[in-house]
Amino acid sequence: MENKEPLIITDKDDMRRWSRSARAQGKIVGFIPTMGYLHEGHLSLVQECKQHSNLTVVSIYVNPGQFSPNEDLSTYPSDFIGDINKLKNKADGVDVVFHPKDLYDYGKHDGVVNARRNDLEEGKVVSCVENSGQGHETWVRVERLEKGLCGSSRPVFFRGVATIVTKLFNIVEPDVAVFGKKDYQQWRIIERMVRDLDFGIKIIGAELLRDPDGLAKSSRNVHLSPEQRKKATSISESLFHAKTAAQKGQVVCIELKDLVIKTIHEAGGKVDYAEIVDQESLEVLEEIKSPAVFCIAAWFGNVRLLDNMEIVV
Ligand code: AMP
């Protein structure tokens, strides 16, 4: 198994054929969707997936459907060869890397594009897919869960995520799929989508992995200057403080939030949101009585960082 070369599949029909053949042979297919520029957080998902499956598929695809035109799609980091080497050397190999070129290219343009261009001109919120001239117009929405937290400042984000995950599930046809709790809201949205739409896929949430200085591992961390990176550790430090305070009895959310927001501001960061929500419903809490999660997004320079901390008192 060690240093195994993965089969690289770029065509969606080939991917579906491989998976159907594997499942016909009684194999359990595990799947980890990623946008590449892999780090140990992604590799920990691979290890988790192997506990639940016989064969592992990792997809590497930066999804334009979850970025709006003013976001960082064009600067999203990539290193495909490096990713393959990491999967080979650090994750003991995977069976398939699915690396499609464009999952919204249907080979024919059908006129929907112009309507979407008008939307853009009118300032309506759209994703990079509407602007791409490929006529995609079907979206999956998880209506309540997609609204708060990251959904407030990135209105097309979860629509894009739920849609691409649906497309990937329909192409890869896995038995099991693993998502990181690093993107807590995303994990909960996918769980709900799978339940509501009866996908026959088991969803597993894998623990958030941090660097030794506490910063949550992320492909976007590469864009932080050394100084910003140091300051950005204020996010995890303040979250750990909030957790300790809650466990000592300080369960009023506004006080815990103030503590975190103040620490991050003092370090030079700009908080996008800081909310304490119920772990399952993601409803905003005023007091921590049930299992909660403190979710935060903050900017350091041009980099938007996500973090969260589960708190049970
Ligand atoms: P991305 O490539 O950022 O779309 O992430 C792909 C998957 O890896 C998602 O399920 C993420 O939640 C997960 N992931 C990213 N960073 C981490 C991390 N630090 N710890 C655990 N999972 C992570």
Side-chain angles (χ1 to χ4, degrees), residues 16 23 31 138-142 161-177 179 189-203:
R16 197 181 277 116
R23 294 179 73 183
F31 177 44
T138 306
W139 300 99
V140 180
R141 311 202 65 145
V142 180
V161 169
T163 302
I164 198 66
V165 171
T166 298
K167 283 162 74 70
L168 287 166
F169 281 177
N170 283 332
I171 295 166
V172 177
E173 298 189 349
D175 298 284
V176 178
F179 290 81
I189 283 174
I190 299 301
E191 270 189 336
R192 186 60 55 96
M193 177 186 91
V194 161
R195 186 201 74 175
D196 290 355
L197 298 182
D198 295 305
F199 283 90
I201 300 170
K202 182 174 174 194
I203 302 300

mmCIF file of all heavy atoms in Angstrom, residues 16 23 31 138-142 161-177 179 189-203:
data_model
loop_
_atom_site.group_PDB
_atom_site.id
_atom_site.type_symbol
_atom_site.label_atom_id
_atom_site.label_comp_id
_atom_site.label_asym_id
_atom_site.label_seq_id
_atom_site.Cartn_x
_atom_site.Cartn_y
_atom_site.Cartn_z
ATOM 1 N N ARG A 16 -17.113 7.319 -12.995
ATOM 2 C CA ARG A 16 -18.320 6.553 -12.621
ATOM 3 C C ARG A 16 -18.137 5.073 -12.945
ATOM 4 O O ARG A 16 -18.496 4.213 -12.140
ATOM 5 C CB ARG A 16 -19.534 7.129 -13.344
ATOM 6 C CG ARG A 16 -20.847 6.711 -12.734
ATOM 7 C CD ARG A 16 -22.026 7.274 -13.478
ATOM 8 N NE ARG A 16 -22.368 8.630 -13.114
ATOM 9 C CZ ARG A 16 -22.305 9.680 -13.947
ATOM 10 N NH1 ARG A 16 -21.879 9.529 -15.176
ATOM 11 N NH2 ARG A 16 -22.655 10.873 -13.534
ATOM 12 N N ARG A 23 -17.642 -1.246 -6.841
ATOM 13 C CA ARG A 23 -18.774 -1.599 -5.965
ATOM 14 C C ARG A 23 -19.401 -2.926 -6.385
ATOM 15 O O ARG A 23 -19.848 -3.694 -5.532
ATOM 16 C CB ARG A 23 -19.793 -0.465 -5.941
ATOM 17 C CG ARG A 23 -19.203 0.791 -5.279
ATOM 18 C CD ARG A 23 -20.163 1.934 -5.255
ATOM 19 N NE ARG A 23 -21.217 1.709 -4.276
ATOM 20 C CZ ARG A 23 -22.235 2.544 -4.087
ATOM 21 N NH1 ARG A 23 -22.324 3.640 -4.780
ATOM 22 N NH2 ARG A 23 -23.156 2.275 -3.185
ATOM 23 N N PHE A 31 -14.751 8.456 -0.076
ATOM 24 C CA PHE A 31 -14.521 9.633 -0.920
ATOM 25 C C PHE A 31 -14.204 10.856 -0.059
ATOM 26 O O PHE A 31 -14.876 11.113 0.948
ATOM 27 C CB PHE A 31 -15.785 9.878 -1.763
ATOM 28 C CG PHE A 31 -15.744 11.095 -2.634
ATOM 29 C CD1 PHE A 31 -14.623 11.404 -3.387
ATOM 30 C CD2 PHE A 31 -16.865 11.929 -2.717
ATOM 31 C CE1 PHE A 31 -14.598 12.530 -4.205
ATOM 32 C CE2 PHE A 31 -16.843 13.050 -3.527
ATOM 33 C CZ PHE A 31 -15.710 13.353 -4.269
ATOM 34 N N THR A 138 -28.941 24.747 -12.414
ATOM 35 C CA THR A 138 -29.584 23.911 -11.396
ATOM 36 C C THR A 138 -28.749 23.967 -10.119
ATOM 37 O O THR A 138 -27.539 23.710 -10.166
ATOM 38 C CB THR A 138 -29.673 22.449 -11.884
ATOM 39 O OG1 THR A 138 -30.317 22.443 -13.156
ATOM 40 C CG2 THR A 138 -30.448 21.586 -10.901
ATOM 41 N N TRP A 139 -29.398 24.326 -9.036
ATOM 42 C CA TRP A 139 -28.655 24.490 -7.774
ATOM 43 C C TRP A 139 -29.339 23.737 -6.642
ATOM 44 O O TRP A 139 -30.562 23.664 -6.583
ATOM 45 C CB TRP A 139 -28.570 25.974 -7.394
ATOM 46 C CG TRP A 139 -27.870 26.793 -8.424
ATOM 47 C CD1 TRP A 139 -28.447 27.563 -9.402
ATOM 48 C CD2 TRP A 139 -26.459 26.905 -8.622
ATOM 49 N NE1 TRP A 139 -27.474 28.157 -10.174
ATOM 50 C CE2 TRP A 139 -26.251 27.770 -9.723
ATOM 51 C CE3 TRP A 139 -25.342 26.366 -7.965
ATOM 52 C CZ2 TRP A 139 -24.974 28.108 -10.184
ATOM 53 C CZ3 TRP A 139 -24.067 26.704 -8.420
ATOM 54 C CH2 TRP A 139 -23.904 27.563 -9.522
ATOM 55 N N VAL A 140 -28.538 23.232 -5.729
ATOM 56 C CA VAL A 140 -29.060 22.559 -4.529
ATOM 57 C C VAL A 140 -28.917 23.529 -3.359
ATOM 58 O O VAL A 140 -27.846 24.108 -3.158
ATOM 59 C CB VAL A 140 -28.247 21.278 -4.229
ATOM 60 C CG1 VAL A 140 -28.789 20.579 -2.987
ATOM 61 C CG2 VAL A 140 -28.261 20.331 -5.425
ATOM 62 N N ARG A 141 -29.987 23.714 -2.615
ATOM 63 C CA ARG A 141 -29.937 24.638 -1.478
ATOM 64 C C ARG A 141 -30.406 23.932 -0.209
ATOM 65 O O ARG A 141 -31.399 23.215 -0.224
ATOM 66 C CB ARG A 141 -30.853 25.839 -1.717
ATOM 67 C CG ARG A 141 -30.652 26.468 -3.064
ATOM 68 C CD ARG A 141 -31.124 27.873 -3.062
ATOM 69 N NE ARG A 141 -30.332 28.686 -2.173
ATOM 70 C CZ ARG A 141 -30.034 29.952 -2.408
ATOM 71 N NH1 ARG A 141 -30.462 30.537 -3.498
ATOM 72 N NH2 ARG A 141 -29.337 30.644 -1.539
ATOM 73 N N VAL A 142 -29.699 24.166 0.865
ATOM 74 C CA VAL A 142 -30.124 23.669 2.174
ATOM 75 C C VAL A 142 -30.573 24.931 2.904
ATOM 76 O O VAL A 142 -29.760 25.670 3.461
ATOM 77 C CB VAL A 142 -28.968 22.929 2.874
ATOM 78 C CG1 VAL A 142 -29.398 22.408 4.231
ATOM 79 C CG2 VAL A 142 -28.482 21.782 1.989
ATOM 80 N N VAL A 161 -21.446 24.904 -2.811
ATOM 81 C CA VAL A 161 -20.883 23.707 -2.170
ATOM 82 C C VAL A 161 -21.860 22.536 -2.295
ATOM 83 O O VAL A 161 -21.490 21.436 -2.726
ATOM 84 C CB VAL A 161 -20.566 23.980 -0.680
ATOM 85 C CG1 VAL A 161 -20.242 22.690 0.057
ATOM 86 C CG2 VAL A 161 -19.411 24.968 -0.547
ATOM 87 N N ALA A 162 -23.138 22.763 -1.928
ATOM 88 C CA ALA A 162 -24.123 21.668 -1.963
ATOM 89 C C ALA A 162 -24.274 21.153 -3.390
ATOM 90 O O ALA A 162 -24.417 19.946 -3.615
ATOM 91 C CB ALA A 162 -25.462 22.159 -1.412
ATOM 92 N N THR A 163 -24.196 22.045 -4.353
ATOM 93 C CA THR A 163 -24.365 21.632 -5.755
ATOM 94 C C THR A 163 -23.160 20.822 -6.234
ATOM 95 O O THR A 163 -23.329 19.752 -6.840
ATOM 96 C CB THR A 163 -24.575 22.871 -6.650
ATOM 97 O OG1 THR A 163 -25.717 23.574 -6.159
ATOM 98 C CG2 THR A 163 -24.798 22.472 -8.109
ATOM 99 N N ILE A 164 -21.955 21.279 -5.935
ATOM 100 C CA ILE A 164 -20.788 20.528 -6.428
ATOM 101 C C ILE A 164 -20.668 19.193 -5.695
ATOM 102 O O ILE A 164 -20.292 18.182 -6.297
ATOM 103 C CB ILE A 164 -19.469 21.354 -6.322
ATOM 104 C CG1 ILE A 164 -18.381 20.764 -7.223
ATOM 105 C CG2 ILE A 164 -18.931 21.408 -4.920
ATOM 106 C CD1 ILE A 164 -18.671 20.859 -8.681
ATOM 107 N N VAL A 165 -21.019 19.177 -4.412
ATOM 108 C CA VAL A 165 -20.942 17.896 -3.688
ATOM 109 C C VAL A 165 -21.976 16.927 -4.268
ATOM 110 O O VAL A 165 -21.697 15.742 -4.450
ATOM 111 C CB VAL A 165 -21.099 18.109 -2.164
ATOM 112 C CG1 VAL A 165 -21.232 16.777 -1.441
ATOM 113 C CG2 VAL A 165 -19.894 18.874 -1.607
ATOM 114 N N THR A 166 -23.152 17.426 -4.609
ATOM 115 C CA THR A 166 -24.157 16.572 -5.263
ATOM 116 C C THR A 166 -23.615 16.031 -6.583
ATOM 117 O O THR A 166 -23.717 14.835 -6.886
ATOM 118 C CB THR A 166 -25.451 17.372 -5.526
ATOM 119 O OG1 THR A 166 -25.968 17.783 -4.265
ATOM 120 C CG2 THR A 166 -26.491 16.545 -6.237
ATOM 121 N N LYS A 167 -23.025 16.914 -7.386
ATOM 122 C CA LYS A 167 -22.470 16.480 -8.678
ATOM 123 C C LYS A 167 -21.388 15.427 -8.443
ATOM 124 O O LYS A 167 -21.373 14.376 -9.098
ATOM 125 C CB LYS A 167 -21.882 17.696 -9.436
ATOM 126 C CG LYS A 167 -22.952 18.582 -10.078
ATOM 127 C CD LYS A 167 -22.421 19.973 -10.426
ATOM 128 C CE LYS A 167 -21.507 20.024 -11.634
ATOM 129 N NZ LYS A 167 -22.174 19.782 -12.942
ATOM 130 N N LEU A 168 -20.500 15.692 -7.495
ATOM 131 C CA LEU A 168 -19.410 14.732 -7.220
ATOM 132 C C LEU A 168 -19.968 13.405 -6.711
ATOM 133 O O LEU A 168 -19.485 12.340 -7.089
ATOM 134 C CB LEU A 168 -18.415 15.338 -6.228
ATOM 135 C CG LEU A 168 -17.521 16.441 -6.805
ATOM 136 C CD1 LEU A 168 -16.825 17.219 -5.691
ATOM 137 C CD2 LEU A 168 -16.478 15.863 -7.766
ATOM 138 N N PHE A 169 -20.975 13.472 -5.847
ATOM 139 C CA PHE A 169 -21.586 12.228 -5.346
ATOM 140 C C PHE A 169 -22.191 11.437 -6.514
ATOM 141 O O PHE A 169 -22.111 10.216 -6.564
ATOM 142 C CB PHE A 169 -22.672 12.530 -4.311
ATOM 143 C CG PHE A 169 -22.155 12.867 -2.924
ATOM 144 C CD1 PHE A 169 -23.038 13.217 -1.906
ATOM 145 C CD2 PHE A 169 -20.802 12.816 -2.625
ATOM 146 C CE1 PHE A 169 -22.584 13.512 -0.620
ATOM 147 C CE2 PHE A 169 -20.333 13.118 -1.342
ATOM 148 C CZ PHE A 169 -21.233 13.467 -0.348
ATOM 149 N N ASN A 170 -22.812 12.150 -7.465
ATOM 150 C CA ASN A 170 -23.421 11.461 -8.609
ATOM 151 C C ASN A 170 -22.379 10.889 -9.568
ATOM 152 O O ASN A 170 -22.656 9.959 -10.313
ATOM 153 C CB ASN A 170 -24.339 12.414 -9.376
ATOM 154 C CG ASN A 170 -25.657 12.619 -8.651
ATOM 155 O OD1 ASN A 170 -26.102 11.740 -7.920
ATOM 156 N ND2 ASN A 170 -26.273 13.773 -8.842
ATOM 157 N N ILE A 171 -21.202 11.451 -9.558
ATOM 158 C CA ILE A 171 -20.130 10.966 -10.458
ATOM 159 C C ILE A 171 -19.320 9.865 -9.781
ATOM 160 O O ILE A 171 -19.045 8.820 -10.366
ATOM 161 C CB ILE A 171 -19.204 12.145 -10.857
ATOM 162 C CG1 ILE A 171 -19.971 13.171 -11.689
ATOM 163 C CG2 ILE A 171 -17.983 11.635 -11.618
ATOM 164 C CD1 ILE A 171 -19.250 14.508 -11.841
ATOM 165 N N VAL A 172 -18.945 10.094 -8.519
ATOM 166 C CA VAL A 172 -18.070 9.140 -7.815
ATOM 167 C C VAL A 172 -18.886 7.978 -7.228
ATOM 168 O O VAL A 172 -18.362 6.875 -7.057
ATOM 169 C CB VAL A 172 -17.250 9.873 -6.720
ATOM 170 C CG1 VAL A 172 -16.384 8.910 -5.922
ATOM 171 C CG2 VAL A 172 -16.377 10.970 -7.348
ATOM 172 N N GLU A 173 -20.132 8.227 -6.933
ATOM 173 C CA GLU A 173 -21.016 7.202 -6.350
ATOM 174 C C GLU A 173 -20.352 6.455 -5.177
ATOM 175 O O GLU A 173 -20.237 5.232 -5.187
ATOM 176 C CB GLU A 173 -21.496 6.227 -7.427
ATOM 177 C CG GLU A 173 -22.320 6.924 -8.508
ATOM 178 C CD GLU A 173 -22.987 5.952 -9.482
ATOM 179 O OE1 GLU A 173 -22.665 4.759 -9.468
ATOM 180 O OE2 GLU A 173 -23.844 6.416 -10.262
ATOM 181 N N PRO A 174 -19.896 7.205 -4.158
ATOM 182 C CA PRO A 174 -19.227 6.542 -3.028
ATOM 183 C C PRO A 174 -20.225 5.926 -2.048
ATOM 184 O O PRO A 174 -21.416 6.242 -2.090
ATOM 185 C CB PRO A 174 -18.489 7.701 -2.354
ATOM 186 C CG PRO A 174 -19.375 8.876 -2.598
ATOM 187 C CD PRO A 174 -20.026 8.662 -3.953
ATOM 188 N N ASP A 175 -19.713 5.079 -1.161
ATOM 189 C CA ASP A 175 -20.522 4.566 -0.051
ATOM 190 C C ASP A 175 -20.397 5.484 1.159
ATOM 191 O O ASP A 175 -21.315 5.598 1.966
ATOM 192 C CB ASP A 175 -20.029 3.165 0.347
ATOM 193 C CG ASP A 175 -20.182 2.176 -0.790
ATOM 194 O OD1 ASP A 175 -21.314 1.745 -1.027
ATOM 195 O OD2 ASP A 175 -19.175 1.867 -1.453
ATOM 196 N N VAL A 176 -19.209 6.067 1.302
ATOM 197 C CA VAL A 176 -18.867 6.858 2.482
ATOM 198 C C VAL A 176 -18.159 8.133 2.000
ATOM 199 O O VAL A 176 -17.392 8.067 1.035
ATOM 200 C CB VAL A 176 -17.847 6.073 3.362
ATOM 201 C CG1 VAL A 176 -17.433 6.876 4.579
ATOM 202 C CG2 VAL A 176 -18.381 4.723 3.759
ATOM 203 N N ALA A 177 -18.404 9.264 2.657
ATOM 204 C CA ALA A 177 -17.645 10.475 2.320
ATOM 205 C C ALA A 177 -17.242 11.179 3.613
ATOM 206 O O ALA A 177 -18.002 11.189 4.582
ATOM 207 C CB ALA A 177 -18.470 11.408 1.442
ATOM 208 N N PHE A 179 -15.850 14.646 5.570
ATOM 209 C CA PHE A 179 -15.734 16.113 5.552
ATOM 210 C C PHE A 179 -15.093 16.565 6.850
ATOM 211 O O PHE A 179 -15.323 15.972 7.907
ATOM 212 C CB PHE A 179 -17.126 16.750 5.397
ATOM 213 C CG PHE A 179 -17.711 16.518 4.034
ATOM 214 C CD1 PHE A 179 -18.336 15.314 3.737
ATOM 215 C CD2 PHE A 179 -17.588 17.462 3.035
ATOM 216 C CE1 PHE A 179 -18.839 15.076 2.467
ATOM 217 C CE2 PHE A 179 -18.092 17.233 1.760
ATOM 218 C CZ PHE A 179 -18.721 16.033 1.477
ATOM 219 N N ILE A 189 -24.262 21.035 6.731
ATOM 220 C CA ILE A 189 -25.112 21.212 5.541
ATOM 221 C C ILE A 189 -25.110 19.944 4.685
ATOM 222 O O ILE A 189 -26.154 19.482 4.226
ATOM 223 C CB ILE A 189 -24.639 22.450 4.735
ATOM 224 C CG1 ILE A 189 -25.130 23.715 5.444
ATOM 225 C CG2 ILE A 189 -25.104 22.404 3.290
ATOM 226 C CD1 ILE A 189 -24.634 25.006 4.848
ATOM 227 N N ILE A 190 -23.940 19.343 4.516
ATOM 228 C CA ILE A 190 -23.860 18.120 3.692
ATOM 229 C C ILE A 190 -24.608 16.980 4.386
ATOM 230 O O ILE A 190 -25.351 16.232 3.733
ATOM 231 C CB ILE A 190 -22.389 17.731 3.411
ATOM 232 C CG1 ILE A 190 -21.673 18.855 2.649
ATOM 233 C CG2 ILE A 190 -22.310 16.402 2.659
ATOM 234 C CD1 ILE A 190 -22.265 19.236 1.331
ATOM 235 N N GLU A 191 -24.451 16.872 5.703
ATOM 236 C CA GLU A 191 -25.192 15.841 6.450
ATOM 237 C C GLU A 191 -26.701 15.992 6.224
ATOM 238 O O GLU A 191 -27.409 15.022 5.980
ATOM 239 C CB GLU A 191 -24.958 16.030 7.954
ATOM 240 C CG GLU A 191 -23.794 15.308 8.525
ATOM 241 C CD GLU A 191 -23.831 15.402 10.061
ATOM 242 O OE1 GLU A 191 -24.440 16.346 10.633
ATOM 243 O OE2 GLU A 191 -23.230 14.540 10.680
ATOM 244 N N ARG A 192 -27.176 17.251 6.322
ATOM 245 C CA ARG A 192 -28.612 17.513 6.184
ATOM 246 C C ARG A 192 -29.079 17.237 4.748
ATOM 247 O O ARG A 192 -30.134 16.649 4.525
ATOM 248 C CB ARG A 192 -28.901 18.984 6.573
ATOM 249 C CG ARG A 192 -30.372 19.352 6.603
ATOM 250 C CD ARG A 192 -31.138 18.499 7.597
ATOM 251 N NE ARG A 192 -30.552 18.561 8.921
ATOM 252 C CZ ARG A 192 -30.947 19.357 9.908
ATOM 253 N NH1 ARG A 192 -31.951 20.184 9.715
ATOM 254 N NH2 ARG A 192 -30.350 19.324 11.088
ATOM 255 N N MET A 193 -28.265 17.645 3.787
ATOM 256 C CA MET A 193 -28.618 17.428 2.374
ATOM 257 C C MET A 193 -28.737 15.933 2.079
ATOM 258 O O MET A 193 -29.683 15.484 1.426
ATOM 259 C CB MET A 193 -27.531 18.058 1.499
ATOM 260 C CG MET A 193 -27.734 17.857 0.028
ATOM 261 S SD MET A 193 -26.324 18.469 -0.919
ATOM 262 C CE MET A 193 -25.304 16.997 -1.015
ATOM 263 N N VAL A 194 -27.792 15.159 2.615
ATOM 264 C CA VAL A 194 -27.785 13.712 2.385
ATOM 265 C C VAL A 194 -29.003 13.063 3.018
ATOM 266 O O VAL A 194 -29.637 12.188 2.436
ATOM 267 C CB VAL A 194 -26.455 13.119 2.908
ATOM 268 C CG1 VAL A 194 -26.540 11.626 3.130
ATOM 269 C CG2 VAL A 194 -25.332 13.455 1.936
ATOM 270 N N ARG A 195 -29.374 13.555 4.216
ATOM 271 C CA ARG A 195 -30.568 13.030 4.873
ATOM 272 C C ARG A 195 -31.825 13.424 4.103
ATOM 273 O O ARG A 195 -32.652 12.578 3.763
ATOM 274 C CB ARG A 195 -30.651 13.575 6.307
ATOM 275 C CG ARG A 195 -31.778 12.961 7.109
ATOM 276 C CD ARG A 195 -32.177 13.823 8.294
ATOM 277 N NE ARG A 195 -32.926 15.003 7.867
ATOM 278 C CZ ARG A 195 -33.480 15.872 8.712
ATOM 279 N NH1 ARG A 195 -33.323 15.733 10.000
ATOM 280 N NH2 ARG A 195 -34.158 16.911 8.257
ATOM 281 N N ASP A 196 -31.941 14.715 3.787
ATOM 282 C CA ASP A 196 -33.170 15.221 3.172
ATOM 283 C C ASP A 196 -33.399 14.659 1.773
ATOM 284 O O ASP A 196 -34.542 14.474 1.349
ATOM 285 C CB ASP A 196 -33.132 16.763 3.082
ATOM 286 C CG ASP A 196 -33.252 17.427 4.453
ATOM 287 O OD1 ASP A 196 -33.460 16.708 5.449
ATOM 288 O OD2 ASP A 196 -33.135 18.666 4.512
ATOM 289 N N LEU A 197 -32.325 14.445 1.029
ATOM 290 C CA LEU A 197 -32.480 13.992 -0.366
ATOM 291 C C LEU A 197 -32.214 12.497 -0.530
ATOM 292 O O LEU A 197 -32.120 12.007 -1.657
ATOM 293 C CB LEU A 197 -31.555 14.804 -1.290
ATOM 294 C CG LEU A 197 -31.830 16.311 -1.342
ATOM 295 C CD1 LEU A 197 -30.888 17.003 -2.328
ATOM 296 C CD2 LEU A 197 -33.275 16.603 -1.727
ATOM 297 N N ASP A 198 -32.083 11.777 0.586
ATOM 298 C CA ASP A 198 -31.923 10.312 0.553
ATOM 299 C C ASP A 198 -30.746 9.830 -0.286
ATOM 300 O O ASP A 198 -30.857 8.842 -1.023
ATOM 301 C CB ASP A 198 -33.226 9.642 0.063
ATOM 302 C CG ASP A 198 -34.354 9.867 1.049
ATOM 303 O OD1 ASP A 198 -34.190 9.527 2.231
ATOM 304 O OD2 ASP A 198 -35.391 10.419 0.640
ATOM 305 N N PHE A 199 -29.626 10.512 -0.193
ATOM 306 C CA PHE A 199 -28.407 9.953 -0.790
ATOM 307 C C PHE A 199 -28.040 8.712 0.030
ATOM 308 O O PHE A 199 -28.095 8.755 1.262
ATOM 309 C CB PHE A 199 -27.237 10.937 -0.664
ATOM 310 C CG PHE A 199 -27.260 12.077 -1.643
ATOM 311 C CD1 PHE A 199 -27.895 13.271 -1.331
ATOM 312 C CD2 PHE A 199 -26.626 11.964 -2.866
ATOM 313 C CE1 PHE A 199 -27.902 14.331 -2.228
ATOM 314 C CE2 PHE A 199 -26.624 13.024 -3.757
ATOM 315 C CZ PHE A 199 -27.264 14.204 -3.443
ATOM 316 N N GLY A 200 -27.649 7.647 -0.624
ATOM 317 C CA GLY A 200 -27.251 6.448 0.124
ATOM 318 C C GLY A 200 -25.777 6.503 0.500
ATOM 319 O O GLY A 200 -25.015 5.593 0.181
ATOM 320 N N ILE A 201 -25.371 7.585 1.137
ATOM 321 C CA ILE A 201 -23.948 7.799 1.438
ATOM 322 C C ILE A 201 -23.808 8.141 2.915
ATOM 323 O O ILE A 201 -24.536 8.996 3.440
ATOM 324 C CB ILE A 201 -23.379 8.958 0.573
ATOM 325 C CG1 ILE A 201 -23.516 8.617 -0.912
ATOM 326 C CG2 ILE A 201 -21.918 9.255 0.925
ATOM 327 C CD1 ILE A 201 -23.206 9.766 -1.842
ATOM 328 N N LYS A 202 -22.862 7.466 3.584
ATOM 329 C CA LYS A 202 -22.622 7.770 5.002
ATOM 330 C C LYS A 202 -21.647 8.951 5.090
ATOM 331 O O LYS A 202 -20.573 8.906 4.463
ATOM 332 C CB LYS A 202 -22.028 6.526 5.664
ATOM 333 C CG LYS A 202 -21.769 6.687 7.123
ATOM 334 C CD LYS A 202 -21.317 5.387 7.742
ATOM 335 C CE LYS A 202 -20.933 5.617 9.186
ATOM 336 N NZ LYS A 202 -20.197 4.486 9.731
ATOM 337 N N ILE A 203 -22.033 9.972 5.852
ATOM 338 C CA ILE A 203 -21.161 11.157 5.988
ATOM 339 C C ILE A 203 -20.443 11.100 7.323
ATOM 340 O O ILE A 203 -21.065 10.909 8.373
ATOM 341 C CB ILE A 203 -21.989 12.458 5.908
ATOM 342 C CG1 ILE A 203 -22.760 12.533 4.581
ATOM 343 C CG2 ILE A 203 -21.099 13.698 6.086
ATOM 344 C CD1 ILE A 203 -21.905 12.503 3.339
#
